[in-house]
Amino acid sequence: MSTNLFNEWPWQDIVMVAGFIVFLFLTRWIAGVLINRLFREKGSVQKAALSLINWVVFNGLLLFVIFYFSDSAWLLYPLFTIGQVDITLFLIIIAVLIITFAYRLSKILNEHLLPFFFERHHLDKGIQFTMERVVHYVIMVVAVLVSLTTVGIDLSALTVFAGVLGVGIGFGMQNIASNFISGLILLFERPIKVGDRVLIDDVIGDVEKISMRATVVRTLENEHIIIPNSYFLEEKVVNRSFADPRLRLTIPIGVAYGTDVQKVKRILLVVAELARQENSFVLESPAPYVNFKGFGDSSLDFELFLWISDPKEVIRMKSELNFSIYEQLNENGIEIPFPQRDLHIKSAPESLLKGHQEDS
């Protein structure tokens, strides 16, 4: 019985499939060699061509199945029915091929071809990300519609599903719909964009990704915060890179009473000039300014105003300025006072006073 079963195996089909698999990988190897010789310098065009060939190789087996077994009953057997359309394995394979090809095409455009366009037109990182997302969404939506049409599903039959989905959004998916629409607004209106430095609830971070539902912000501690898109439209968010990336740093300084205030001013301006010489992002205009803030409880209070062009250097620059100011004040013999308080005791327990008198 086992011998009869062994003899009934479709050996011809098995040999054909195995031979075609060998042919695919052999073709991939030959194509890779030819492309590497044609493009001696590895570039985006070479990577795009190899990516497309990889798709053809790994999906070529599905194409072979469609053509070789096109008359087979199992390939055309109806698995289920949508409306008046019988969905077969043949139709499912066609839809999978269309969608996977669209995804690969989107990946090739975004990773290998669009960067040429971005570099040529000097587009910033935020616009690049927006264009990449738009291209990806358009290609995938078109691919889904084409695959449904190819399968034979009448898109007008989906109106009922769309109505049910609308009711679901109205009741149970309000937050998801809100975040999705907010994500589209962020991509096109661009109140924030990828690469911006933002301040959210006293947490400083850089926008890394704006997806359909949420935005990813990486903090200075390298922690990633997942924030719903609607937050950026409903709450107050400080964007240090929005229109003008220039920022004014404010460094507070206190010196002892009796200090020559003009000397303090000159020292602070020297510190600002040294910072400008050592750091290209420190701006000469607007010019540094020393503000005599007022008379504190134990110090004369000053502020050094300094402008920089890179918001990501705020913390480091403040630290460097504090180091430099402290060194300059020490070299010039200028005292930085500490708060002093007088303690007056109005009343105390008699036992404590008696013990103090005995000790004295």
Side-chain angles (χ1 to χ4, degrees), residues 1-11:
M1 181 176 179
S2 58
T3 305
N4 294 334
L5 181 62
F6 182 79
N7 293 330
E8 291 177 357
W9 281 12
W11 287 107

Side-chain angles (χ1 to χ4, degrees), residues 5-284:
L5 181 62
F6 182 79
N7 293 330
E8 291 177 357
W9 281 12
W11 287 107
Q12 182 180 357
D13 295 339
I14 294 175
V15 171
M16 288 295 296
V17 171
F20 189 76
I21 292 176
V22 174
F23 170 76
L24 286 176
F25 283 96
L26 182 61
T27 303
R28 168 64 180 85
W29 178 76
I30 295 174
V33 172
L34 293 177
I35 290 176
N36 288 330
R37 290 184 178 181
L38 184 61
F39 302 97
R40 294 185 178 180
E41 295 183 1
K42 293 184 178 181
S44 298
V45 177
Q46 179 194 24
K47 293 179 181 178
L50 290 175
S51 179
L52 187 59
I53 290 174
N54 288 334
W55 180 88
V56 173
V57 170
F58 290 107
N59 291 275
L61 184 59
L62 293 179
L63 293 173
F64 174 77
V65 169
I66 291 175
F67 290 106
Y68 186 77
F69 298 99
S70 58
D71 296 332
S72 301
W74 61 268
L75 189 62
L76 302 175
Y77 182 80
L79 301 176
F80 54 90
T81 302
I82 298 180
Q84 298 180 351
V85 180
D86 294 331
I87 304 301
T88 64
L89 183 60
F90 175 82
L91 296 179
I92 293 176
I93 292 176
I94 292 294
V96 169
L97 287 174
I98 294 174
I99 293 176
T100 55
F101 176 75
Y103 181 82
R104 182 57 60 95
L105 179 62
S106 171
K107 188 175 181 180
I108 291 173
L109 288 175
N110 286 330
E111 294 184 0
H112 305 303
L113 301 182
L114 284 181
F116 283 114
F117 175 80
F118 297 151
E119 184 178 355
R120 181 176 181 181
H121 294 276
H122 305 289
L123 300 180
D124 63 60
K125 191 175 181 181
I127 295 179
Q128 294 180 21
F129 183 83
T130 300
M131 292 186 65
E132 289 175 356
R133 291 295 88 195
V134 170
V135 168
H136 176 72
Y137 293 151
V138 169
I139 291 177
M140 294 308 298
V141 169
V142 171
V144 171
L145 295 178
V146 171
S147 63
L148 292 177
T149 305
T150 303
V151 168
I153 297 177
D154 186 4
L155 296 181
S156 61
L158 298 178
T159 54
V160 176
F161 173 76
V164 174
L165 182 61
V167 174
I169 291 176
F171 289 97
M173 302 176 64
Q174 293 181 2
N175 291 335
I176 296 177
S178 174
N179 289 324
F180 175 74
I181 296 173
S182 299
L184 295 178
I185 294 174
L186 293 178
L187 288 174
F188 289 98
E189 186 178 321
R190 303 174 72 230
I192 64 167
K193 57 185 182 296
V194 174
D196 282 356
R197 170 147 294 190
V198 295
L199 180 63
I200 305 172
D201 293 336
D202 297 328
V203 177
I204 301 175
D206 299 322
V207 179
E208 283 208 335
K209 182 180 180 182
I210 302 175
S211 60
M212 295 178 63
R213 190 192 65 84
T215 297
V216 179
V217 176
R218 182 173 59 86
T219 68
L220 300 181
E221 290 77 21
N222 202 33
E223 298 174 337
H224 289 77
I225 306 176
I226 313 300
I227 305 173
N229 290 329
S230 58
Y231 178 89
F232 293 95
L233 302 180
E234 298 172 357
E235 303 293 336
K236 183 177 69 174
V237 178
V238 177
N239 187 349
R240 290 180 171 177
S241 310
F242 181 59
D244 188 350
R246 296 181 302 171
L247 286 178
R248 189 188 74 178
L249 302 185
T250 301
I251 311 297
I253 309 101
V255 299
Y257 275 91
T259 304
D260 185 349
V261 294
Q262 294 298 327
K263 185 177 181 180
V264 173
K265 179 180 180 180
R266 290 193 298 270
I267 291 174
L268 294 180
L269 291 178
V270 168
V271 169
E273 178 61 23
L274 292 175
R276 189 187 66 80
Q277 294 176 2
E278 296 174 357
N279 301 277
S280 59
F281 53 83
V282 176
L283 301 177
E284 186 176 1

